[in-house]
Every structure is written in C-alpha cells, then in structure tokens.
Amino acid sequence: MTELSHAQIERFITEGFVRIDAAFPRSLADEGRAILWRDTGFDPLDPKTWTKPVVRLGMYGQRPFADAANTPVLRAAFDQLVGRGRWQPPAALGTFPVRFPSPDDPGDAGWHVDASFGTENPDFMTWRVNVASRGRALLMLFLFSDVSESDAPTRIRAGSHLDIARQLASAGEQGLTLRDLAANGFAETAHRQQVLATGEAGTVYLCHPFLVHTAQPHRGTRPRFMAQPPLLPAEPLRLEREHGDYSPVERAIRGALSGGL
C-alpha cells in the first residue's frame, strides 16, 4: 500500500485535487462497466444505438463498485486527506453520468461546485454549500473507462476551491445556494489553470469539496464511464480545533480565509 507523499498532500491543499493512478483494479472497472452498459439500454458494439449524449445512472452498491471505493490505497488516502475516523466508508458509487460521442449539447456543461445539503428540495439550484462543507468531505471522480483528452474528461479549475472558500466565509452556517454561487458564472475562478481529469480505468481523482469543475461535450469515439460520488463525513469539518490537528481539507479552507493561500 502506497500512501500519499507530503508533496501530493501539499498540492491537494493548493490545487484542490490529487490524482491516484491504479487506485482500484482494472478488472473491477471492467466488471462495473458491464453492469452500467446493461443499464444504459445501449449496445456497446453498435454506436448507432448511442442515441443520447449523456445517460445518468443512479447509485450502485454491487460488489465491483463497493470494492473499487474501498481499496487500501483509497482508504489510506481518505485518512490522510480527511482524517482517521472522520469519514464514512463508501457503501456505493454514483451518480454515473455516462457520456457518449454526440454532436448534441449534453445540457449539463456548466462550471459548478457540488452542493452538499438542502438536497431534499427538487430545485437543485437551491441546494447549498457552507464554509465548513456540511455533508461532504471530498468530491471523488472514479474512472471506469480509459479517458483521454478526446473522451469528454471533466474539466477542473486548479486552486478554485480557495476562491469558493473565501466566497462562502461571510455566509456562515447557512451557506450559499448553487444559484448564489453561480450568479456570475464563477467568474472569480476564471483565471485558474484548467486541468483535464484523464487517466486509465482505475484512476481516481480525490478533490476538495469546493473545487469548481464542469462536464463537456463528447467529441471523441469512446463512451466515458465515470462515477462522481461524495465521501461523506463521519463528523463535521472544523475550522477551529483545540489541538490544531487539521486535515488537509480543513487546512485549505483555513489558508484561503487567512490569506496564506
């Protein structure tokens, strides 16, 4: 088992994500993808059946998905980034936005952060985020297929989590809605470097919950299978700890608010 290096953790704090290659075995990706193909209703061997730019599939708790989310490499990384005992072991993976090559607009390619509470409201633009990231310890991207630059990889604005932390600071416990955050199109993060979430099947990106990211149209030839689940906290994140044992997720927020990052 290989733990994250000090340099990787420091880059997570400043850039908002860490890429872990071979975080889970390709064999699990292959098994999981077979299940997902079945549920799309499309024929993997007949591109003429791929009639939608994106098919959204729900939560998957079958063995290949649960095993992929709980490898020793990932569990060690969760401990390092969130804190031992401060996260809940993932029981399932989802949602899967399966993207197919298409000239059509997928309708969901806009910069955003993933909201984490208030999700009982059917209007997702009212879902909320607060500076303590209530309800979410990490955003995770699990690649269940090989994803090149041509395969509609998720676009990430490196370091944008720091801008969002500063924006949330004055909103207190109630935080801001996705509508509030998106009002200016996330203009405060537009200067950030764009990174593409590419990699082989089995690659996982562990992201700060405030990281700004977006989908994009698929102009390649191979369907892209990726899960984007949260890592749920076992206890609330804290920006003030008596003994100062802050996790990297908390350190990033504190650094953004103090002006140190």
Side-chain angles (χ1 to χ4, degrees), residues 169-188:
S170 62
E173 177 65 25
Q174 69 174 359
L176 296 173
T177 66
L178 182 55
R179 182 172 286 109
D180 295 331
L181 288 165
N184 65 352
F186 291 90
E188 66 280 349

Side-chain angles (χ1 to χ4, degrees), residues 153-167:
T154 297
R155 294 187 288 163
I156 291 168
R157 284 181 172 169
S160 57
H161 62 306
L162 305 174
D163 305 308
I164 298 303
R166 287 188 280 267
Q167 189 174 357

Side-chain angles (χ1 to χ4, degrees), residues 26-106:
R26 178 178 285 274
S27 59
L28 291 178
D30 294 342
E31 289 181 57
R33 201 168 59 253
I35 295 170
L36 297 167
W37 264 118
R38 180 197 66 203
D39 289 354
T40 66
F42 297 164
D43 184 343
L45 301 179
D46 185 2
K48 292 193 298 294
T49 68
W50 307 346
T51 55
K52 297 178 181 178
V54 60
V55 174
R56 292 190 172 274
L57 302 175
M59 298 294 289
Y60 284 80
Q62 297 98 317
R63 183 193 59 80
F65 303 104
D67 286 356
N70 288 279
T71 63
V73 168
L74 286 174
R75 293 176 70 91
F78 299 157
D79 279 345
Q80 288 182 276
L81 296 178
V82 179
R84 190 179 301 274
R86 298 177 185 173
W87 51 273
Q88 299 180 39
L93 290 180
T95 306
F96 278 86
V98 184
R99 300 193 181 276
F100 293 89
S102 174
D104 298 332
D105 184 346

Side-chain angles (χ1 to χ4, degrees), residues 65-261:
F65 303 104
D67 286 356
N70 288 279
T71 63
V73 168
L74 286 174
R75 293 176 70 91
F78 299 157
D79 279 345
Q80 288 182 276
L81 296 178
V82 179
R84 190 179 301 274
R86 298 177 185 173
W87 51 273
Q88 299 180 39
L93 290 180
T95 306
F96 278 86
V98 184
R99 300 193 181 276
F100 293 89
S102 174
D104 298 332
D105 184 346
D108 60 355
W111 293 104
H112 65 283
V113 296
D114 282 16
S116 58
F117 68 100
T119 55
E120 64 280 357
N121 192 313
D123 178 5
F124 73 91
M125 292 298 289
T126 68
W127 297 357
R128 309 187 76 87
V129 187
N130 71 8
V131 72
S133 192
R134 173 181 165 188
R136 183 186 297 267
L138 292 174
L139 164 69
M140 305 188 290
L141 308 177
F142 280 72
L143 275 54
F144 272 75
S145 62
D146 294 340
V147 179
S148 73
E149 292 186 4
S150 301
D151 302 318
T154 297
R155 294 187 288 163
I156 291 168
R157 284 181 172 169
S160 57
H161 62 306
L162 305 174
D163 305 308
I164 298 303
R166 287 188 280 267
Q167 189 174 357
L168 291 168
S170 62
E173 177 65 25
Q174 69 174 359
L176 296 173
T177 66
L178 182 55
R179 182 172 286 109
D180 295 331
L181 288 165
N184 65 352
F186 291 90
E188 66 280 349
T189 69
H191 66 289
R192 297 291 184 176
Q193 178 187 5
Q194 180 176 285
V195 177
L196 300 178
T198 59
E200 296 184 358
T203 301
V204 174
Y205 286 75
L206 299 181
C207 306
H208 195 281
F210 298 162
L211 195 66
V212 177
H213 59 287
T214 184
Q216 60 176 312
H218 196 324
R219 302 297 186 241
T221 60
R222 302 178 303 181
R224 190 213 67 177
F225 290 78
M226 184 196 76
Q228 50 186 36
L231 182 69
L232 300 177
E235 62 180 56
L237 272 68
R238 297 177 189 162
L239 302 183
E240 297 295 336
R241 290 185 179 273
E242 182 178 349
H243 300 294
D245 56 337
Y246 297 104
S247 70
V249 172
E250 294 164 338
R251 286 174 57 199
I253 299 171
R254 285 173 54 83
L257 302 188
S258 69
L261 292 175

